[in-house]
Amino acid sequence: MTCTSRPLVIAGNWKMYKTPAEAVQLVEELKAHGSTVCQTVKLLIGPSFTSLPAVLEAAQGSALEVAAQNLHWADEGAFTGEVSGPMLAALGVHRVIIGHSERRQLFGETDQDVNKKVHAALKHGLKPVVCLGETLEQRENGFTFEVLSRQLAAALADLKAAALGDLALAYEPVWAIGTGRTASPEQAQEVHAFLRGRLAETSAALAAVTPILYGGSVKPDNAAALLGQPDLDGALVGGASLTADSFLAIAKAGLAAV
Ligand code: PGA
């Protein structure tokens, strides 16, 4: 593996899949077969809220990091069905995925909500993985970079530059999520370089080390081409993260490609 200042991060977004017992089973499989990749690749898994305690316990002592898929921005309050930063921090969760396109599209999450969640996560020591991405219509009409600029600026509004050190971004073109259609490696690289350039306007030093992951139908057979691109520092994987074989195959392909 070429030594870069950015480690390869392979993250699994388990979405609304797996009971706690099924989630623990997958953790055990990752631990059993993942030792060869864990040394050089950071593996991050994102189970549902109900599986977090069992997954954190099963992952203890391993190199697996655990992320929540969402949080509310308030510390507590009358917000039926929501989960707060202090609740996740108390469990020992390491990171939190914020602004996934399914949250934005299906649950009406706005750029301003994303910003409040980023602030809340950082306040409670949870490292945010901020998701950004354009729809097919926006891409076809030439608005990709405008949309991404807006999403990024809004997500990071009023953050101190130093906060970038705890941040990861995930570029997830909405048209590629769960569709089997991926951005080409060149399309993804173009966007990642653009995003890193935007981060560099705040801090060139931190932009150089901020992991920018690609997400959207990443599979074992396309991972190498994508992760071989210079500004792709990892993958946020949905469907293919649900079995140890395909998740680890993506990590191995990525490792071989960097
Ligand atoms: P997918 O999902 O890999 O199933 O396309 C990616 C994501 O939504 O993070």
Side-chain angles (χ1 to χ4, degrees):
M1 180 190 184
T2 327
C3 281
T4 73
S5 46
R6 300 185 294 271
L8 187 65
V9 181
I10 306 296
N13 174 7
W14 295 357
K15 305 194 179 184
M16 200 174 72
Y17 291 97
K18 297 192 185 290
T19 63
E22 290 165 348
V24 167
Q25 168 74 29
L26 179 49
V27 173
E28 295 303 340
E29 288 169 19
L30 291 173
K31 286 200 306 188
H33 303 291
S35 55
T36 48
V37 288
C38 287
Q39 308 303 319
T40 35
V41 182
K42 199 179 282 247
L43 294 180
L44 179 67
I45 49 177
S48 65
F49 287 132
T50 54
S51 292
L52 280 171
V55 162
L56 281 157
E57 195 185 331
Q60 226 167 35
S62 77
L64 294 168
E65 282 192 26
V66 180
Q69 296 176 16
N70 185 24
L71 86 169
H72 194 274
W73 55 80
D75 286 1
E76 61 180 9
F79 299 108
T80 302
E82 293 291 325
V83 172
S84 73
M87 293 171 183
L88 297 173
L91 286 182
V93 168
H94 309 112
R95 292 183 185 257
V96 59
I97 298 169
I98 297 176
H100 190 280
S101 70
E102 287 155 12
R103 301 284 332 155
R104 293 176 189 260
Q105 296 212 309
L106 305 176
F107 301 99
E109 212 164 281
T110 65
D111 286 339
Q112 287 66 38
D113 295 340
V114 170
N115 179 243
K116 287 191 275 185
K117 291 179 179 202
V118 170
H119 280 273
L122 290 167
K123 177 178 163 195
H124 297 291
L126 303 160
K127 295 181 175 180
V129 180
V130 177
C131 302
L132 316 159
E134 79 288 0
T135 62
L136 186 58
E137 194 187 350
Q138 288 164 338
R139 176 164 279 269
E140 285 177 343
N141 288 305
F143 293 123
T144 298
F145 295 97
E146 193 178 318
V147 168
L148 292 168
S149 286
R150 189 202 72 221
Q151 290 178 340
L152 184 64
L156 306 189
D158 301 322
L159 281 189
K160 295 201 175 78
L164 288 190
D166 286 327
L167 195 83
L169 298 182
Y171 169 53
E172 299 209 308
V174 176
W175 46 272
I177 296 177
T179 57
R181 200 176 153 184
T182 44
S184 69
E186 295 72 24
Q187 281 174 323
Q189 168 58 25
E190 185 185 24
V191 168
H192 283 229
F194 172 79
L195 292 173
R196 201 177 305 285
R198 278 293 148 109
L199 292 176
E201 290 168 12
T202 304
S203 163
L206 290 174
V209 294
T210 303
I212 307 181
L213 316 185
Y214 169 80
S217 299
V218 177
K219 308 286 177 211
D221 61 0
N222 60 25
L226 287 161
L227 296 173
Q229 297 294 317
D231 284 294
L232 271 70
D233 308 317
L236 180 54
V237 186
S241 71
L242 296 173
T243 66
D245 281 354
S246 54
F247 189 56
L248 294 173
I250 289 170
K252 284 180 184 154
L255 194 54
V258 294

